[in-house]
């Protein structure tokens, strides 16, 4: 790292009130340390026992990359003695721009969206400008803020399980980042666009509204319900996307952020020009080929909706309370008389991996929606676990 860049990073962090110790932690965040690894709760959890038969614990897709994506991987892998034989990275940005109708300079790609979430906290929070999240929600931003020593307020979801944006602003009227996961993980619920727009229009100057749309492709009203128009309109928003869900590419690590160019540049500051965000070309090529495979996207959406409806029907007929309505590839079940930890263990003994525990709701478990066969396997395990 050149002295010039190092000084710029130090000035940025010291200027925002970080101590030398916190600066060390910032430096460790993207360095493959234990801290970085624990930032992705789904990965940490998915590294479970290998003998599991049915994996419905990490909100992954039940199937792999789309066929044109796999063909592109093979071709790119064969040429990967070159850094960028066919401008794979440029092609990815161009394709995202076309599909999303967002200018190319409003897009930045990453090896997965978790790094972008953590970077948004590093770039826009500080010891005096905290993070506001919902409770429960996806934990990466909260984990990053705690690691860095930025204050965190976690505001309970409303009774309909949407984000309480007014309470979020009231919880810290001077925050650096307000995080809205839409649809929310773990509830799958959608917060209406008008609520998010209210937050964007009323938040303090200089802060960011980070809108995590990891699961947006599964929702009924997609693509009309995405907040991407606010990025194009130049608002203080960072829209986070991933290829880990509907595109079935969690292990390939591709994600992107949409926002004004100068907001995106700030997310890269701490790279020190090292291009750490450069993607492997097979992953980039797979993403390009998948983005425009509209037939597969439609087929996966339908399959998910069918399998989710089948699972809702199975569980509600057995008198279980579901939290929702979920628009994503997950459901939350309130067991009422059993803890989620006990149920996780009971299902694991049947070869079914369900999600980790969400401390706010100790009797509620999250399951991901998988293939029809996955869900039938879950039903069989359910019958054994519940009758026991
Ligand atoms: N955002 C949300 C809401 C998620 O649930 C996940 C992973 O499960 C991610 C981001 C991480 O995505 P990626 O695999 O792109 O890092």
């Amino acid at each position: 790292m050149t002295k010039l860049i190092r000084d710029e990073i130090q000035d940025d962090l010291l200027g925002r009130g970080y101590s030398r110790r916190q600066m060390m932690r910032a430096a460790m965040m993207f360095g493959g340390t234990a801290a970085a690894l624990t930032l992705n709760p789904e990965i940490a959890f998915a590294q479970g026992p290998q003998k599991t038969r049915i994996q419905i614990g990490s909100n992954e897709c039940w199937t792999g990359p789309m066929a044109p994506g796999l063909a592109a991987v093979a071709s790119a892998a064969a040429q990967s003695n070159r850094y960028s034989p066919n401008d794979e990275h440029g092609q990815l940005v161009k394709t995202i721009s076309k599909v999303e109708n967002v200018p190319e300079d409003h897009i930045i790609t990453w090896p997965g969206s978790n790094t972008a979430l953590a970077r948004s906290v590093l770039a826009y929070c500080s010891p005096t400008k905290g993070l506001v999240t919902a409770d429960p929600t996806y934990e990466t931003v909260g984990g990053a803020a705690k690691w860095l020593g930025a204050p965190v307020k976690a505001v309970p979801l409303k009774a309909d399980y949407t984000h309480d944006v007014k309470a979020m602003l009231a919880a810290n009227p001077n925050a650096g980042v307000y995080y809205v996961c839409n649809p929310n993980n773990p509830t799958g619920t959608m917060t209406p666009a008008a609520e998010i727009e209210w937050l964007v229009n009323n938040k303090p100057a200089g802060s960011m509204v980070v809108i995590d749309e990891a699961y947006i492709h599964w929702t009924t009203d997609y693509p009309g319900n995405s907040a991407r128009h606010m990025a194009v309109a130049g608002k203080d928003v960072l829209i986070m996307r991933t290829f880990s869900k509907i595109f079935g590419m969690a292990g390939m690590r591709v994600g992107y952020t949409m926002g004004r160019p100068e907001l995106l540049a700030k997310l890269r500051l701490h790279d020190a020009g090292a291009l750490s965000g450069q993607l492997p070309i097979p992953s980039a090529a797979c993403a390009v080929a998948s983005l425009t495979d509209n037939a597969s996207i439609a087929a996966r959406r339908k399959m998910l909706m069918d399998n989710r409806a089948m699972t809702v029907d199975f569980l509600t007929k057995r008198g279980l309370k579901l939290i929702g309505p979920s628009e994503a590839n997950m459901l939350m079940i309130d067991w009422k008389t059993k803890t989620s930890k006990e149920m996780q263990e009971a299902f694991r003994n049947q070869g079914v991996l369900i999600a980790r525990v969400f401390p706010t709701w100790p009797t509620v478990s999250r399951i991901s929606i998988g293939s029809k066969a996955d869900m039938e396997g879950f039903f069989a395990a359910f019958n054994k676990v519940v009758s026991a």
Side-chain angles (χ1 to χ4, degrees):
M1 196 190 306
T2 67
K3 184 168 182 312
L4 207 67
I5 294 170
R6 211 172 51 217
D7 289 349
E8 195 185 341
I9 294 170
Q10 281 189 5
D11 288 351
D12 172 65
L13 291 171
L14 286 172
R16 288 191 287 132
Y18 282 108
S19 65
R20 299 251 165 217
R21 185 167 174 272
Q22 286 167 316
M23 283 171 58
M24 282 295 292
R25 292 194 150 224
M28 288 163 78
M29 253 171 96
F30 306 109
T33 61
L37 283 174
T38 56
L39 278 178
N40 186 335
E42 304 296 355
I43 291 181
F45 185 74
Q47 289 165 346
Q50 298 303 308
K51 278 198 234 109
T52 312
R53 240 180 345 113
I54 296 173
Q55 297 206 13
I56 50 170
S58 297
N59 287 346
E60 296 148 329
C61 194
W62 60 88
T63 187
M66 294 160 179
L70 281 177
V73 168
S75 164
Q79 300 172 68
S80 50
N81 53 313
R82 307 283 173 207
Y83 286 111
S84 185
N86 303 297
D87 187 25
E88 282 77 6
H89 185 258
Q91 289 304 320
L92 178 56
V93 173
K94 276 194 180 63
T95 311
I96 294 168
S97 166
K98 224 180 275 165
V99 168
E100 303 282 10
N101 205 13
V102 167
E104 286 180 35
D105 66 355
H106 283 52
I107 296 161
I108 187 167
T109 61
W110 309 103
S113 61
N114 257 285
T115 182
L117 291 169
R119 283 159 189 263
S120 70
V121 173
L122 180 56
Y124 292 101
C125 291
S126 70
T128 55
K129 292 207 173 278
L131 165 75
V132 181
T133 65
D135 184 24
T137 194
Y138 189 58
E139 305 96 325
T140 290
V141 283
K146 276 185 202 134
W147 173 253
L148 287 169
V152 181
K153 290 272 187 208
V155 176
L157 296 172
K158 291 208 276 198
D160 63 0
Y161 306 111
T162 61
H163 286 70
D164 192 340
V165 292
K166 297 210 166 74
M168 287 174 76
L169 184 57
N172 184 350
N174 189 33
V177 167
Y178 298 87
Y179 173 69
V180 178
C181 187
N182 213 29
N184 189 42
N185 178 6
T187 53
T189 42
M190 276 303 282
T191 297
E195 299 284 305
I196 299 178
E197 276 166 26
W198 181 90
L199 182 58
V200 171
N201 292 331
N202 288 280
K203 65 163 193 62
S207 66
M208 284 304 122
V209 179
V210 172
I211 306 166
D212 186 345
E213 296 188 339
Y215 299 95
I216 196 85
H217 298 89
W218 298 124
T219 61
T220 317
D221 296 332
Y222 175 80
N225 55 359
S226 166
R228 62 192 178 188
H229 62 279
M230 284 197 270
V232 181
K235 303 279 187 187
D236 288 341
V237 295
L238 295 165
I239 316 286
M240 305 294 187
R241 294 288 190 85
T242 178
F243 283 85
S244 298
K245 307 301 170 182
I246 199 167
F247 296 105
M249 292 172 49
M252 289 225 209
R253 313 304 303 132
V254 186
Y256 57 97
T257 307
M258 294 179 278
R260 291 204 314 272
E262 67 273 24
L263 303 183
L264 301 183
K266 206 156 173 215
L267 298 181
R268 291 300 304 266
L269 175 64
H270 301 272
D271 278 359
L275 278 186
S276 65
Q278 188 177 1
L279 302 175
I281 62 162
S283 297
C286 187
V288 169
S290 304
L291 267 174
T292 49
D293 185 359
N294 292 328
S296 295
I297 294 172
R300 288 181 182 200
R301 275 168 56 83
K302 176 166 180 345
M303 210 173 281
L304 180 271
M305 286 177 196
D306 289 350
N307 295 346
R308 190 176 58 205
M310 176 178 79
T311 310
V312 168
D313 187 57
F314 176 91
L315 293 166
T316 48
K317 276 191 181 139
R318 281 153 186 81
L320 282 155
K321 179 180 174 330
L322 298 182
I323 285 177
S326 170
E327 293 227 23
N329 60 338
M330 63 190 105
L331 287 174
M332 291 204 100
I333 308 164
D334 192 347
W335 307 108
K336 302 242 188 234
T337 55
K338 292 274 178 200
T339 65
S340 46
K341 192 149 184 38
E342 286 170 308
M343 294 307 267
Q344 187 187 23
E345 198 50 39
F347 276 99
R348 195 195 295 269
N349 291 338
Q350 298 298 325
V352 177
L353 197 62
I354 65 171
R356 64 191 179 279
V357 173
F358 292 88
T360 310
W361 291 334
T363 62
V364 178
S365 297
R366 189 194 71 191
I367 58 163
S368 307
I369 303 298
S371 65
K372 188 156 185 280
D374 285 339
M375 299 330 290
E376 285 168 353
F378 167 71
F379 299 161
F382 176 97
N383 287 335
K384 286 197 189 142
V385 166
V386 171
S387 63

